[in-house]
Amino acid sequence: AKTLGKACYQVFDTAMHQHAQTQLRLETDLRRAIERQEFLVNYQPIISLTTLEITGFEALVRWHHPQRGLVSPGQFIPIAEETSLIVPIGLWVLKESCQQLVTWQQMLGGETVPTLKMSVNLSVKQFSQPDLIDRIDQFLEQMELQGHLLTLEITESALMDNPEAASQVLTALRDRNIQLAIDDFGTGYSSLSYLHRFPVDILKVDRSFINRIEDQDNGLRIVEATLAMAHSLGMQVVAEGVETQAQALQLQQLGCEYAQGYLFSKPLAAETAAGVLAQPPAF
Ligand code: C2E
Ligand code: CA
Ligand code: CA
Ligand code: CA
């Protein structure tokens, strides 16, 4: 057993070492990825459960690595967070997706879809950058985009880490009519008491709750309670990761406003999303 233990440890150690090397390599590559234009944005439709129309898209970054191919955000966002590279990457995504929204508005004629929205993820790091609001102002002005068409998604920890600073940023966003969504709601240190202190417009209920919604006792009750709380605070709700018709029906019956998930569409390349907009599918 002793020798086996040692062998196991060596295998483990080698694996750890390889993992560390991969991380380091990715970090080096990540530093060059912006200037080499290796990022792209995919867009996942957000559907109104009342009209079953696409009301907007969530921008999701993709990294096309020259050797590794597509690297998932789950792999590189944590590295980007640790190294603060998420700040320039996040700004690039914001600019790119706002530009895309303006292009789509023009393509469809601003009159037809004056309300098509873009939702963009903001990391905790970005959220605490002192020049965040200036940069956003810059983009909005450059692209002549109205603030109410932009939604920023942040996680609960961005609010909780520094509530005072968060309050200031949120007030500035509100002044610009930019919508604020709490992402992955229910997975962090959700406390009902803090939510009402911030001008939050939208709660995005995490997929882990949505895929338990058919469980009468646990899943359903939690989503029901979350909806009741959100609505009483004047917030709208997006259900994340909706994969089945049964889930969508249940959510509709509970009065959930929006849904997002593979049932409706996976995140799409910009050209594909444009096609879907020009010829909306019947959900
Ligand atoms: P998120 O913000 O919670 O985004 C939703 C994730 O769930 C996306 O994964 C999306 O592809 C996936 N998803 C959507 N519908 C379904 C479904 O029905 N079933 C399942 N199983 N998954 C679904 P993705 O694109 O891999 O992104 C993962 C995470 O990476 C995001 O989670 C977000 O936290 C982060 N991320 C992605 N793009 C950005 C970005 O531009 N900036 C920042 N800061 N983070 C980003
Ligand atoms: Ca998100
Ligand atoms: Ca989410
Ligand atoms: Ca998530």
Side-chain angles (χ1 to χ4, degrees), residues 13-30:
D13 198 42
T14 308
M16 286 269 285
H17 184 67
Q18 274 169 0
H19 180 72
Q21 275 195 326
T22 307
Q23 296 292 100
L24 212 63
R25 184 75 232 193
L26 278 178
E27 182 182 327
T28 314
D29 294 346
L30 203 52

mmCIF file of all heavy atoms in Angstrom, residues 13-30:
data_model
loop_
_atom_site.group_PDB
_atom_site.id
_atom_site.type_symbol
_atom_site.label_atom_id
_atom_site.label_comp_id
_atom_site.label_asym_id
_atom_site.label_seq_id
_atom_site.Cartn_x
_atom_site.Cartn_y
_atom_site.Cartn_z
ATOM 1 N N ASP A 13 1.240 14.559 -8.423
ATOM 2 C CA ASP A 13 2.193 15.649 -8.452
ATOM 3 C C ASP A 13 2.491 16.079 -9.886
ATOM 4 O O ASP A 13 2.527 17.262 -10.200
ATOM 5 C CB ASP A 13 3.484 15.185 -7.752
ATOM 6 C CG ASP A 13 4.338 16.366 -7.346
ATOM 7 O OD1 ASP A 13 3.742 17.341 -6.859
ATOM 8 O OD2 ASP A 13 5.556 16.297 -7.536
ATOM 9 N N THR A 14 2.677 15.100 -10.756
ATOM 10 C CA THR A 14 2.942 15.392 -12.154
ATOM 11 C C THR A 14 1.751 16.105 -12.788
ATOM 12 O O THR A 14 1.911 17.084 -13.516
ATOM 13 C CB THR A 14 3.230 14.083 -12.930
ATOM 14 O OG1 THR A 14 4.231 13.381 -12.225
ATOM 15 C CG2 THR A 14 3.701 14.365 -14.334
ATOM 16 N N ALA A 15 0.565 15.613 -12.450
ATOM 17 C CA ALA A 15 -0.653 16.228 -12.986
ATOM 18 C C ALA A 15 -0.757 17.686 -12.522
ATOM 19 O O ALA A 15 -1.084 18.574 -13.306
ATOM 20 C CB ALA A 15 -1.884 15.443 -12.542
ATOM 21 N N MET A 16 -0.439 17.906 -11.250
ATOM 22 C CA MET A 16 -0.473 19.259 -10.695
ATOM 23 C C MET A 16 0.490 20.167 -11.439
ATOM 24 O O MET A 16 0.188 21.308 -11.766
ATOM 25 C CB MET A 16 -0.036 19.232 -9.216
ATOM 26 C CG MET A 16 -1.053 18.678 -8.279
ATOM 27 S SD MET A 16 -2.103 19.985 -7.654
ATOM 28 C CE MET A 16 -0.951 20.748 -6.495
ATOM 29 N N HIS A 17 1.677 19.618 -11.664
ATOM 30 C CA HIS A 17 2.721 20.374 -12.324
ATOM 31 C C HIS A 17 2.294 20.748 -13.743
ATOM 32 O O HIS A 17 2.446 21.883 -14.175
ATOM 33 C CB HIS A 17 3.998 19.541 -12.339
ATOM 34 C CG HIS A 17 5.163 20.267 -12.917
ATOM 35 N ND1 HIS A 17 5.723 21.357 -12.290
ATOM 36 C CD2 HIS A 17 5.853 20.079 -14.062
ATOM 37 C CE1 HIS A 17 6.721 21.812 -13.037
ATOM 38 N NE2 HIS A 17 6.825 21.059 -14.116
ATOM 39 N N GLN A 18 1.704 19.754 -14.424
ATOM 40 C CA GLN A 18 1.240 20.016 -15.791
ATOM 41 C C GLN A 18 0.132 21.066 -15.793
ATOM 42 O O GLN A 18 0.102 21.939 -16.648
ATOM 43 C CB GLN A 18 0.740 18.716 -16.431
ATOM 44 C CG GLN A 18 1.888 17.942 -17.063
ATOM 45 C CD GLN A 18 1.479 16.542 -17.478
ATOM 46 O OE1 GLN A 18 0.327 16.154 -17.290
ATOM 47 N NE2 GLN A 18 2.412 15.802 -18.032
ATOM 48 N N HIS A 19 -0.730 20.955 -14.806
ATOM 49 C CA HIS A 19 -1.828 21.906 -14.704
ATOM 50 C C HIS A 19 -1.281 23.328 -14.513
ATOM 51 O O HIS A 19 -1.680 24.271 -15.186
ATOM 52 C CB HIS A 19 -2.747 21.533 -13.545
ATOM 53 C CG HIS A 19 -3.896 22.470 -13.367
ATOM 54 N ND1 HIS A 19 -4.959 22.518 -14.246
ATOM 55 C CD2 HIS A 19 -4.127 23.425 -12.432
ATOM 56 C CE1 HIS A 19 -5.804 23.444 -13.845
ATOM 57 N NE2 HIS A 19 -5.326 24.015 -12.749
ATOM 58 N N ALA A 20 -0.314 23.445 -13.604
ATOM 59 C CA ALA A 20 0.286 24.746 -13.321
ATOM 60 C C ALA A 20 0.945 25.326 -14.571
ATOM 61 O O ALA A 20 0.848 26.515 -14.850
ATOM 62 C CB ALA A 20 1.310 24.610 -12.192
ATOM 63 N N GLN A 21 1.605 24.438 -15.316
ATOM 64 C CA GLN A 21 2.266 24.886 -16.547
ATOM 65 C C GLN A 21 1.261 25.368 -17.588
ATOM 66 O O GLN A 21 1.474 26.382 -18.252
ATOM 67 C CB GLN A 21 3.109 23.757 -17.123
ATOM 68 C CG GLN A 21 4.488 23.692 -16.489
ATOM 69 C CD GLN A 21 5.427 22.829 -17.301
ATOM 70 O OE1 GLN A 21 4.997 21.844 -17.906
ATOM 71 N NE2 GLN A 21 6.694 23.190 -17.312
ATOM 72 N N THR A 22 0.173 24.619 -17.698
ATOM 73 C CA THR A 22 -0.875 25.011 -18.639
ATOM 74 C C THR A 22 -1.438 26.379 -18.276
ATOM 75 O O THR A 22 -1.630 27.237 -19.139
ATOM 76 C CB THR A 22 -2.017 23.969 -18.628
ATOM 77 O OG1 THR A 22 -1.455 22.688 -18.858
ATOM 78 C CG2 THR A 22 -3.041 24.263 -19.717
ATOM 79 N N GLN A 23 -1.675 26.575 -16.978
ATOM 80 C CA GLN A 23 -2.216 27.849 -16.509
ATOM 81 C C GLN A 23 -1.279 29.007 -16.868
ATOM 82 O O GLN A 23 -1.708 30.046 -17.344
ATOM 83 C CB GLN A 23 -2.410 27.841 -14.982
ATOM 84 C CG GLN A 23 -3.425 26.849 -14.492
ATOM 85 C CD GLN A 23 -4.845 27.217 -14.903
ATOM 86 O OE1 GLN A 23 -5.360 26.655 -15.864
ATOM 87 N NE2 GLN A 23 -5.452 28.158 -14.211
ATOM 88 N N LEU A 24 0.002 28.757 -16.643
ATOM 89 C CA LEU A 24 1.010 29.777 -16.887
ATOM 90 C C LEU A 24 1.067 30.136 -18.369
ATOM 91 O O LEU A 24 1.150 31.282 -18.774
ATOM 92 C CB LEU A 24 2.365 29.233 -16.420
ATOM 93 C CG LEU A 24 3.332 30.272 -15.893
ATOM 94 C CD1 LEU A 24 2.738 30.925 -14.648
ATOM 95 C CD2 LEU A 24 4.676 29.633 -15.563
ATOM 96 N N ARG A 25 1.035 29.107 -19.183
ATOM 97 C CA ARG A 25 1.058 29.237 -20.631
ATOM 98 C C ARG A 25 -0.169 30.033 -21.116
ATOM 99 O O ARG A 25 -0.059 30.955 -21.911
ATOM 100 C CB ARG A 25 1.040 27.819 -21.220
ATOM 101 C CG ARG A 25 1.159 27.713 -22.717
ATOM 102 C CD ARG A 25 2.546 27.963 -23.161
ATOM 103 N NE ARG A 25 2.513 28.984 -24.205
ATOM 104 C CZ ARG A 25 3.526 29.266 -24.993
ATOM 105 N NH1 ARG A 25 4.666 28.654 -24.844
ATOM 106 N NH2 ARG A 25 3.403 30.192 -25.912
ATOM 107 N N LEU A 26 -1.322 29.666 -20.556
ATOM 108 C CA LEU A 26 -2.562 30.350 -20.929
ATOM 109 C C LEU A 26 -2.491 31.825 -20.557
ATOM 110 O O LEU A 26 -2.955 32.688 -21.291
ATOM 111 C CB LEU A 26 -3.771 29.700 -20.241
ATOM 112 C CG LEU A 26 -4.341 28.437 -20.896
ATOM 113 C CD1 LEU A 26 -5.496 27.889 -20.074
ATOM 114 C CD2 LEU A 26 -4.798 28.704 -22.331
ATOM 115 N N GLU A 27 -1.892 32.078 -19.398
ATOM 116 C CA GLU A 27 -1.777 33.467 -18.951
ATOM 117 C C GLU A 27 -0.932 34.285 -19.926
ATOM 118 O O GLU A 27 -1.294 35.392 -20.306
ATOM 119 C CB GLU A 27 -1.170 33.504 -17.543
ATOM 120 C CG GLU A 27 -1.060 34.907 -17.000
ATOM 121 C CD GLU A 27 -0.414 34.957 -15.622
ATOM 122 O OE1 GLU A 27 -0.598 34.016 -14.833
ATOM 123 O OE2 GLU A 27 0.279 35.963 -15.361
ATOM 124 N N THR A 28 0.195 33.704 -20.335
ATOM 125 C CA THR A 28 1.059 34.374 -21.301
ATOM 126 C C THR A 28 0.305 34.642 -22.601
ATOM 127 O O THR A 28 0.360 35.739 -23.166
ATOM 128 C CB THR A 28 2.291 33.492 -21.627
ATOM 129 O OG1 THR A 28 2.816 32.998 -20.408
ATOM 130 C CG2 THR A 28 3.333 34.266 -22.387
ATOM 131 N N ASP A 29 -0.409 33.623 -23.066
ATOM 132 C CA ASP A 29 -1.149 33.751 -24.320
ATOM 133 C C ASP A 29 -2.285 34.762 -24.202
ATOM 134 O O ASP A 29 -2.589 35.489 -25.153
ATOM 135 C CB ASP A 29 -1.730 32.388 -24.731
ATOM 136 C CG ASP A 29 -0.642 31.385 -25.064
ATOM 137 O OD1 ASP A 29 0.523 31.817 -25.226
ATOM 138 O OD2 ASP A 29 -0.941 30.188 -25.162
ATOM 139 N N LEU A 30 -2.899 34.783 -23.012
ATOM 140 C CA LEU A 30 -4.029 35.672 -22.768
ATOM 141 C C LEU A 30 -3.588 37.135 -22.881
ATOM 142 O O LEU A 30 -4.329 37.990 -23.364
ATOM 143 C CB LEU A 30 -4.599 35.379 -21.376
ATOM 144 C CG LEU A 30 -6.042 35.759 -21.064
ATOM 145 C CD1 LEU A 30 -7.009 35.221 -22.106
ATOM 146 C CD2 LEU A 30 -6.421 35.230 -19.678
#
